[in-house]
Amino acid sequence: MENKKIVFFGGEPLGIPALEALAAAGIIPQLIVCSPDRPAGRGLRLVPPAVKQWAQTQNIEVFQPENYQDESAKQKLFATEWDLFVVVAYNFILPKWLLELPKKGCLNVHPSLLPALRGPSPIRTAILQNQPEAVGVTVMLLDEKMDTGPILQQQAYQPKVWPISGPILDGELAAQGGKLLAQVTPAWLAGEIEPKSQNHELATYTKMFKKGANELHISPLALPSGAEAFSLLCKIKAWEGIGDTFFVHNDKRIKIKAAGLSADSSLELYRVVPEGKAEMDFNSYLQSLAAP
C-alpha cells in the first residue's frame, strides 16, 4: 500500500496465504518478522521458516528475533515510524511496547468466530468438540491479553461436510482469513472501520493438544455406532496431520489414517498403519488378524 509502512509478523499455517492475499491486493510489507531458522531432518541443518522463504522470493527484508528482551530487537523496530503491524500465526506474544509502536495498532487474524475458541488450537478444537457454529475467521486488534481485543470484521465458514479433516480446514481458513485481512487492512488504515468490543462473558477457550490424548479405546473387531461413533470421528478428524489417532490391539499400535461413518452411523476405518508395517486398507488389516 502506497506510503504506508507495514510490518508482517507471521508463521504457519495461516502466514503464507495471508501474505499472498495482501500482496494480491497491493499491500506489501516493508519488513517480515518470523521465527529464527531451526535445525531439521537427520542432518539437523538449519531450515528457514516458510514465511522467510516467501519474503526472500519477493525481496522483502526479514527479521528473526529470538525474543523481545534483546536490545537489538528494540533497536530494529524503533528505528522506523511504522503505520501498522499485521500478526498472523506468529509464535511469540508481543510485549506491550511493541503493540503500542505502530500508529494504527496491530491487526491479527484468528481462525474462529471470537469470542468463541480463544487460544492456541481453535481449528482443531472446533472439530474435536463438534462446534461448526464457531468456525470462521476474525480480524481483530491485538491487546495485551490473548484474543481479547476489539473485532474489526468476522466471516463464518460453512463446511460442506462435518466433521471435516483438520488439514483441509487449516487450508480453508488460511485462505479465507487472508482474503478478509486484505479487505480489512486498507479500510482500517483509511479510518472506515469502527472496532467492536468482544462480549467476554461468552468467551470459550482452547488448549494445546496433549501427547497421548489421541488414543482411541476401541476394538477393530467391534467398532462403535451412533453418538459414540460420531464423537470418535470428530477426534480422528481433529488429529489428522498433527499426530493422527491410534488404537492398541494385541499389544500393537495401529494408527488411523482415514475414517468415516457408515449408512447406519457406525464408525468405519478405511486406512490404517499397523505398528511396524506400511499403510494399508482396514479390511487387509482385519484379514491379517485372522491369518495364522
Side-chain angles (χ1 to χ4, degrees):
M1 184 173 293
E2 190 175 349
N3 299 325
K4 297 296 182 182
K5 293 184 173 62
I6 298 172
V7 182
F8 183 92
F9 296 75
E12 293 306 311
L14 307 179
I16 299 299
L19 280 167
E20 290 179 341
L22 289 171
I27 304 167
I28 308 297
Q30 281 68 48
L31 177 68
I32 290 179
V33 181
C34 59
S35 300
D37 297 2
R38 300 297 187 198
R42 292 183 179 179
L44 294 180
R45 80 182 166 84
L46 289 177
V47 176
V51 166
K52 177 181 180 179
Q53 296 177 52
W54 186 93
Q56 290 173 331
T57 66
Q58 305 297 314
N59 295 316
I60 299 173
E61 183 182 0
V62 176
F63 181 47
Q64 298 174 274
E66 283 283 359
N67 59 64
Y68 288 96
Q69 286 72 50
D70 189 337
E71 198 61 35
S72 65
K74 293 184 178 181
Q75 292 175 3
K76 176 68 175 177
L77 291 162
F78 272 107
T80 301
E81 193 171 321
W82 302 106
D83 292 294
L84 182 70
F85 288 170
V86 177
V87 183
V88 183
Y90 188 51
N91 295 329
F92 293 91
I93 295 176
L94 301 187
K96 183 179 179 180
W97 66 263
L98 197 54
L99 295 174
E100 295 175 344
L101 200 56
K103 297 175 186 176
K104 296 290 287 186
C106 302
L107 297 189
N108 173 243
V109 178
H110 184 79
S112 79
L113 297 178
L114 292 171
L117 302 178
R118 293 175 176 173
S121 61
I123 297 175
R124 302 311 180 102
T125 299
I127 302 170
L128 178 67
Q129 297 182 355
N130 186 27
Q131 296 186 51
E133 72 282 353
V135 178
V137 290
T138 300
V139 177
M140 57 179 285
L141 286 172
L142 281 180
D143 59 17
E144 289 183 80
K145 298 179 181 179
M146 182 173 285
D147 304 326
T148 60
I151 293 170
L152 302 187
Q153 196 165 329
Q154 294 182 305
Q155 191 175 81
Y157 175 80
Q158 303 295 333
K160 296 178 181 178
V161 177
W162 189 266
I164 189 173
S165 164
I168 291 175
L169 190 55
D170 285 344
E172 293 284 310
L173 292 183
Q176 183 175 340
K179 290 176 182 177
L180 187 63
L181 178 66
Q183 294 170 15
V184 168
T185 298
W188 171 245
L189 287 170
E192 298 170 356
I193 298 179
E194 186 68 31
K196 296 180 180 179
S197 297
Q198 295 186 42
N199 185 342
H200 303 299
E201 294 181 359
L202 299 179
T204 58
Y205 296 88
T206 69
K207 298 179 180 179
M208 296 297 294
F209 279 20
K210 293 183 178 180
K211 186 177 181 180
N214 52 334
E215 181 176 359
L216 305 186
H217 299 284
I218 58 174
S219 166
L221 305 177
L223 295 174
S225 61
E228 182 184 0
F230 184 83
S231 178
L232 289 173
L233 183 61
C234 287
K235 188 170 183 177
I236 291 167
K237 296 293 187 180
W239 276 92
E240 281 184 15
I242 56 170
D244 296 321
T245 49
F246 70 93
F247 62 91
V248 177
H249 187 71
N250 293 340
D251 296 323
K252 297 288 186 180
R253 179 183 290 212
I254 294 85
K255 183 180 289 189
I256 300 169
K257 300 300 292 185
L261 295 178
S262 67
D264 66 351
S265 298
S266 295
L267 182 65
E268 288 191 329
L269 304 184
Y270 304 139
R271 303 287 299 174
V272 296
V273 183
E275 186 175 334
K277 296 184 179 181
E279 183 176 328
M280 63 179 67
D281 66 78
F282 183 63
N283 285 335
S284 297
Y285 166 70
L286 290 179
Q287 291 170 9
S288 72
L289 295 179

